[in-house]
Amino acid sequence: KAGPGPTDPRLTKPDYEPKQDEPLAVYEDVVVAVAGESIPYRELQQTLTDGVEVKDRKGTLGFKTHRNVFLGKDLVDFLQKRFSIGDRAEAGEAAQILMRSGLFADARMSDKFQDNGTYYRFQKDEARLWTALNTQRKWCTPDGCVTGA
Protein backbone atom coordinates (compact mmCIF):
# COMPACT_ATOMS: atom_id res chain seq x y z
CA LYS A 1 0.00 0.00 0.00
CA ALA A 2 1.32 3.42 -0.91
CA GLY A 3 1.80 6.13 1.71
CA PRO A 4 -0.04 9.45 1.85
CA GLY A 5 0.09 11.54 -1.30
CA PRO A 6 1.33 15.11 -1.67
CA THR A 7 -2.18 16.48 -1.23
CA ASP A 8 -2.75 14.75 2.12
CA PRO A 9 -3.63 17.56 4.59
CA ARG A 10 -1.59 15.86 7.32
CA LEU A 11 1.57 16.64 5.32
CA THR A 12 1.04 20.37 4.96
CA LYS A 13 2.83 22.74 7.28
CA PRO A 14 0.43 23.91 9.99
CA ASP A 15 -0.25 27.59 10.56
CA TYR A 16 0.77 27.42 14.25
CA GLU A 17 3.97 26.82 16.18
CA PRO A 18 4.97 23.23 17.01
CA LYS A 19 4.22 21.92 20.48
CA GLN A 20 7.29 22.21 22.69
CA ASP A 21 8.31 19.20 24.76
CA GLU A 22 8.54 19.78 28.49
CA PRO A 23 12.16 20.28 29.55
CA LEU A 24 13.69 17.49 31.58
CA ALA A 25 13.74 18.22 35.27
CA VAL A 26 17.23 18.83 36.60
CA TYR A 27 17.67 18.20 40.28
CA GLU A 28 20.59 20.32 41.37
CA ASP A 29 20.26 19.31 45.00
CA VAL A 30 20.34 15.50 44.68
CA VAL A 31 22.87 14.14 47.15
CA VAL A 32 24.24 10.61 46.89
CA ALA A 33 26.26 8.58 49.37
CA VAL A 34 29.46 6.90 48.28
CA ALA A 35 31.22 4.84 50.95
CA GLY A 36 29.46 6.80 53.68
CA GLU A 37 30.29 10.23 52.23
CA SER A 38 27.41 12.41 51.05
CA ILE A 39 28.19 14.29 47.86
CA PRO A 40 25.99 16.23 45.41
CA TYR A 41 25.46 14.22 42.22
CA ARG A 42 26.89 16.92 39.93
CA GLU A 43 29.96 17.21 42.14
CA LEU A 44 30.37 13.43 41.99
CA GLN A 45 30.17 13.57 38.20
CA GLN A 46 32.87 16.24 38.11
CA THR A 47 35.05 14.43 40.65
CA LEU A 48 34.97 11.22 38.65
CA THR A 49 35.54 12.84 35.26
CA ASP A 50 38.46 14.83 36.67
CA GLY A 51 39.96 11.86 38.52
CA VAL A 52 39.78 9.06 35.95
CA GLU A 53 41.85 9.17 32.76
CA VAL A 54 39.56 9.44 29.75
CA LYS A 55 41.08 9.04 26.30
CA ASP A 56 40.71 7.35 22.93
CA ARG A 57 41.87 3.72 23.11
CA LYS A 58 42.41 0.96 20.56
CA GLY A 59 40.27 -2.16 20.75
CA THR A 60 41.78 -5.51 21.69
CA LEU A 61 42.52 -6.41 18.08
CA GLY A 62 43.69 -2.88 17.29
CA PHE A 63 41.15 -2.26 14.54
CA LYS A 64 38.57 -0.08 16.27
CA THR A 65 39.26 3.05 18.29
CA HIS A 66 36.95 3.62 21.25
CA ARG A 67 36.58 7.37 21.79
CA ASN A 68 36.52 9.03 25.21
CA VAL A 69 36.75 5.89 27.34
CA PHE A 70 38.28 4.89 30.67
CA LEU A 71 39.17 1.52 32.15
CA GLY A 72 37.07 -0.17 34.82
CA LYS A 73 40.16 -0.90 36.91
CA ASP A 74 41.13 2.80 36.82
CA LEU A 75 37.72 3.78 38.18
CA VAL A 76 38.01 1.24 40.99
CA ASP A 77 41.49 2.56 41.83
CA PHE A 78 40.14 6.11 41.93
CA LEU A 79 37.12 5.21 44.07
CA GLN A 80 39.37 3.43 46.54
CA LYS A 81 41.71 6.39 46.79
CA ARG A 82 39.15 9.25 46.76
CA PHE A 83 36.57 7.66 49.06
CA SER A 84 38.99 5.61 51.21
CA ILE A 85 37.42 2.29 50.26
CA GLY A 86 39.78 -0.41 51.51
CA ASP A 87 38.22 -3.40 49.78
CA ARG A 88 38.52 -3.54 45.99
CA ALA A 89 35.34 -5.62 45.71
CA GLU A 90 33.40 -2.94 47.64
CA ALA A 91 34.73 -0.24 45.29
CA GLY A 92 33.62 -2.44 42.35
CA GLU A 93 30.12 -2.68 43.86
CA ALA A 94 30.02 1.11 44.20
CA ALA A 95 31.06 1.41 40.55
CA GLN A 96 28.26 -0.98 39.55
CA ILE A 97 25.71 1.17 41.38
CA LEU A 98 27.07 4.33 39.73
CA MET A 99 26.86 2.60 36.36
CA ARG A 100 23.22 1.64 37.00
CA SER A 101 22.47 5.26 37.87
CA GLY A 102 23.46 6.23 34.32
CA LEU A 103 26.63 8.10 35.24
CA PHE A 104 28.60 5.98 32.77
CA ALA A 105 28.10 2.92 30.58
CA ASP A 106 30.09 0.07 29.11
CA ALA A 107 31.39 1.17 25.71
CA ARG A 108 30.37 -2.25 24.37
CA MET A 109 26.87 -2.07 25.92
CA SER A 110 27.21 -4.64 28.72
CA ASP A 111 25.23 -3.95 31.88
CA LYS A 112 27.68 -5.51 34.36
CA PHE A 113 30.64 -3.53 35.67
CA GLN A 114 34.00 -5.31 35.56
CA ASP A 115 37.13 -4.36 37.51
CA ASN A 116 39.53 -4.93 34.62
CA GLY A 117 40.51 -3.40 31.28
CA THR A 118 36.92 -3.10 30.05
CA TYR A 119 36.18 0.25 28.42
CA TYR A 120 33.57 2.55 29.92
CA ARG A 121 32.33 5.96 28.82
CA PHE A 122 30.88 8.74 30.97
CA GLN A 123 27.37 9.77 29.97
CA LYS A 124 28.54 13.30 29.18
CA ASP A 125 31.04 11.92 26.65
CA GLU A 126 28.51 9.48 25.21
CA ALA A 127 26.06 12.29 24.53
CA ARG A 128 28.62 14.25 22.50
CA LEU A 129 29.21 11.28 20.19
CA TRP A 130 25.55 11.01 19.21
CA THR A 131 24.35 14.62 19.26
CA ALA A 132 23.18 14.75 15.64
CA LEU A 133 21.35 11.41 15.65
CA ASN A 134 17.66 10.95 16.33
CA THR A 135 16.83 14.60 15.71
CA GLN A 136 13.32 15.16 14.43
CA ARG A 137 10.46 17.64 14.32
CA LYS A 138 6.91 16.77 15.27
CA TRP A 139 3.75 18.66 14.32
CA CYS A 140 0.67 17.69 16.29
CA THR A 141 -2.97 18.52 15.77
CA PRO A 142 -6.06 17.15 17.49
CA ASP A 143 -6.22 14.63 14.59
CA GLY A 144 -2.72 13.24 15.13
CA CYS A 145 0.96 13.98 14.67
CA VAL A 146 3.22 14.20 11.62
CA THR A 147 6.91 13.64 12.19
CA GLY A 148 9.65 14.84 9.85
CA ALA A 149 13.42 14.80 9.90
Side-chain angles (χ1 to χ4, degrees), residues 32-104:
V32 294
V34 179
E37 180 180 335
S38 295
I39 183 170
Y41 190 76
R42 290 202 183 259
E43 185 179 326
L44 175 63
Q45 285 179 313
Q46 193 63 49
T47 298
L48 294 178
T49 56
D50 290 346
V52 179
E53 182 182 27
V54 175
K55 65 181 185 177
D56 296 348
R57 300 173 193 262
K58 290 280 187 187
T60 53
L61 298 176
F63 297 117
K64 182 176 180 176
T65 299
H66 297 273
R67 298 180 44 82
N68 304 322
V69 295
F70 62 91
L71 302 177
K73 63 184 179 182
D74 290 346
L75 177 62
V76 171
D77 290 341
F78 180 76
L79 289 172
Q80 282 190 286
K81 182 178 177 183
R82 167 61 181 81
F83 296 101
S84 303
I85 302 173
D87 183 25
R88 198 162 180 85
E90 185 180 336
E93 289 175 23
Q96 176 69 47
I97 292 168
L98 293 171
M99 183 173 153
R100 272 195 230 129
S101 79
L103 187 60
F104 64 91

